[in-house]
Amino acid sequence: MNPCNQSLFRMTVAMAASGLGITLMKIALPTLSGTLGCSPAKVGLVAGAIAAAWPLFGLTAGWVLDRFGRIAGFWSGLFAAGFAAAALLSLAGQDASPVLLLCGLGLLVGIGEVLTETAGQTILPDLVDRDRFHDGNSLLQGVKTVFATLLAPLLIALLLGISPFSVFLVAFVAVAVSFLALPKPQRMTRSGQKGFAGFLEGAHLLWASPDQRGLTLLLALMSVSWGAWMTLIVPYALSENFLNIGTAGIGYVMTAMGCGSLLGATCYRWLRSRLGDGRTRLLDPVATLIFVLVPAAGFGLWPVLATSFLAGIGGVTWAISIATHQQSTIPASSLGRVVAAYRWIGWSGFFIGASLSGFVANLVGLQLAFLVFAAPAMAALLIFVFSKQGFRQVAEANELRF
């Protein structure tokens, strides 16, 4: 097998296994805290500890990747996740566990996710040639969708019926497989920074580039709408006045989104060849706006499923396109920090939408809340279409000049 093909194959296995293992723990850890007698407030603390890793360690992840290498960063993330899984397995048979311990292990799981996700978006330049970036990102995103978005929830449903600890056993095995599968990089570019020099440089470099700054703004706006949708869709699905499909029905909606992501990753090359980079990226703002407006209009299950499917397509095509653009245009010595800053700033919108949407729904009702949080998606679409800074057709061939 060609060394580049072998490296890409091994990285694909590593991404699939790590995505599966970490997703299993993210879902199962709050469930475990509930079965161990924690109150709803404490369960929320455990879940919040997992999510807190992104704002707390997002920029640190980029510094680690550029200072020590992408593979080393991925290894570090796997070590954090594997340690958390082993520690959680050691709690088997105990009737109760200190909530601070569970929060600490949840934070480790989150750190593992931050490092592996950021490394996964920056690793391809170390493994394959530039002309294979689009195909490589499409493959990695497609496999990650299958294992993290589709397979993990099915395993959770099967294993939680046996024991929450069985989930952590499978997660530990998956993390170990990922560790063993990681390839040796074909090349390695480090920044040469010493100590903590350059820690915030990723954010400075990103903000100094008009196209990267604009793409980050678009991601932040769309993330607000996504975060709100993820929060509001639960009462919308359970309410007798709207979908009334129960908790299993929410799983169907998420599965539809996962199927859309899989199709988008599989067909990305075809879409790009027909639409070009700009129109392919446009799919995400359009799909995000539609899938928030459908529940705002009070539509039933099938329109919600259809727009969730479309949102899955838009989200994954955006992720592949932007990852390839960043890998092609950002200097390799700064790639980890700039991508980390892009995610740190852009994904902050998700937490804003998720945290505020419930309060808005209590004030104005579910449908109006969906409508309120469609505004950021509308703003992203308008900025994308009418921007004079050229977000839509950024040249892939030129390196960024700061």
Side-chain angles (χ1 to χ4, degrees), residues 277-300:
D277 288 322
R279 292 189 181 90
T280 301
R281 293 172 189 167
L282 181 61
L283 292 174
D284 196 22
V286 170
T288 300
L289 178 61
I290 293 173
F291 110 123
V292 179
L293 285 178
V294 161
F299 286 116

Side-chain angles (χ1 to χ4, degrees), residues 18-315:
S18 65
L20 174 63
I22 291 174
T23 302
L24 287 174
M25 287 191 283
K26 283 175 59 181
I27 298 173
L29 186 52
T31 303
L32 172 65
S33 63
T35 62
L36 292 176
C38 291
S39 66
K42 292 181 178 179
V43 173
L45 283 176
V46 174
I50 300 173
W54 279 104
L56 290 177
F57 296 100
L59 291 179
T60 306
W63 175 83
V64 169
L65 299 182
D66 284 344
R67 176 77 191 277
F68 301 105
R70 329 288 191 231
I71 293 294
F74 206 104
W75 277 336
S76 301
L78 292 176
F79 180 81
F83 182 87
L88 288 164
L89 282 172
S90 70
L91 299 178
Q94 297 187 25
D95 295 329
S97 296
V99 67
L100 288 179
L101 173 61
L102 296 178
C103 287
L105 295 176
L107 184 61
L108 272 181
V109 172
I111 292 172
E113 181 186 32
V114 170
L115 286 166
T116 55
E117 287 279 328
T118 308
Q121 189 168 332
T122 60
I123 195 71
L124 275 185
D126 289 350
L127 301 177
V128 300
D129 295 329
R130 181 172 173 169
D131 59 358
R132 301 191 61 194
F133 285 177
H134 281 289
D135 291 342
N137 282 307
S138 181
L139 176 62
L140 293 180
Q141 288 291 334
V143 169
K144 177 186 168 185
T145 296
V146 171
F147 280 81
T149 308
L150 296 178
L151 181 58
L154 292 176
L155 284 177
I156 284 288
L158 292 173
L159 295 174
L160 283 180
I162 303 172
S163 166
F165 293 100
S166 62
V167 178
F168 301 119
L169 177 60
V170 173
F172 181 83
V173 172
V175 170
V177 169
S178 180
F179 188 88
L180 293 174
L182 271 177
K184 293 182 179 179
Q186 301 296 313
R187 60 191 70 85
M188 185 179 296
T189 304
R190 293 177 179 170
S191 64
Q193 54 185 324
K194 297 181 179 179
F196 281 92
F199 179 73
L200 296 176
E201 188 179 1
H204 295 157
L205 293 176
L206 180 141
W207 213 249
S209 168
D211 66 303
Q212 293 295 334
R213 184 171 65 241
L215 293 170
T216 305
L217 172 63
L218 294 177
L219 176 65
L221 288 170
M222 290 188 291
S223 294
V224 174
S225 296
W226 272 83
W229 186 92
M230 288 290 186
T231 299
L232 297 175
I233 198 63
V234 174
Y236 189 84
L238 299 178
S239 173
E240 295 181 357
N241 298 323
F242 296 106
L243 298 186
N244 194 26
I245 55 176
T247 53
I250 299 174
Y252 299 147
V253 175
M254 297 303 175
T255 300
M257 190 182 298
C259 290
S261 297
L262 179 60
L263 180 64
T266 304
C267 299
Y268 172 78
R269 186 172 184 178
W270 180 85
L271 287 170
R272 180 172 176 262
S273 68
R274 296 295 187 277
L275 302 176
D277 288 322
R279 292 189 181 90
T280 301
R281 293 172 189 167
L282 181 61
L283 292 174
D284 196 22
V286 170
T288 300
L289 178 61
I290 293 173
F291 110 123
V292 179
L293 285 178
V294 161
F299 286 116
L301 177 60
W302 287 108
V304 170
L305 288 173
T307 51
S308 298
F309 182 81
L310 290 175
I313 294 175

Side-chain angles (χ1 to χ4, degrees), residues 289-359:
L289 178 61
I290 293 173
F291 110 123
V292 179
L293 285 178
V294 161
F299 286 116
L301 177 60
W302 287 108
V304 170
L305 288 173
T307 51
S308 298
F309 182 81
L310 290 175
I313 294 175
V316 78
T317 52
W318 174 276
I320 294 170
S321 180
I322 300 306
T324 303
H325 170 63
Q326 290 174 332
Q327 292 160 5
S328 301
T329 59
I330 298 171
S333 60
S334 304
L335 182 60
R337 284 167 293 163
V338 175
V339 169
Y342 165 79
R343 286 169 168 257
W344 186 66
I345 297 172
W347 286 11
S348 63
F350 189 94
F351 298 102
I352 294 171
S355 59
L356 295 182
S357 56
F359 295 104

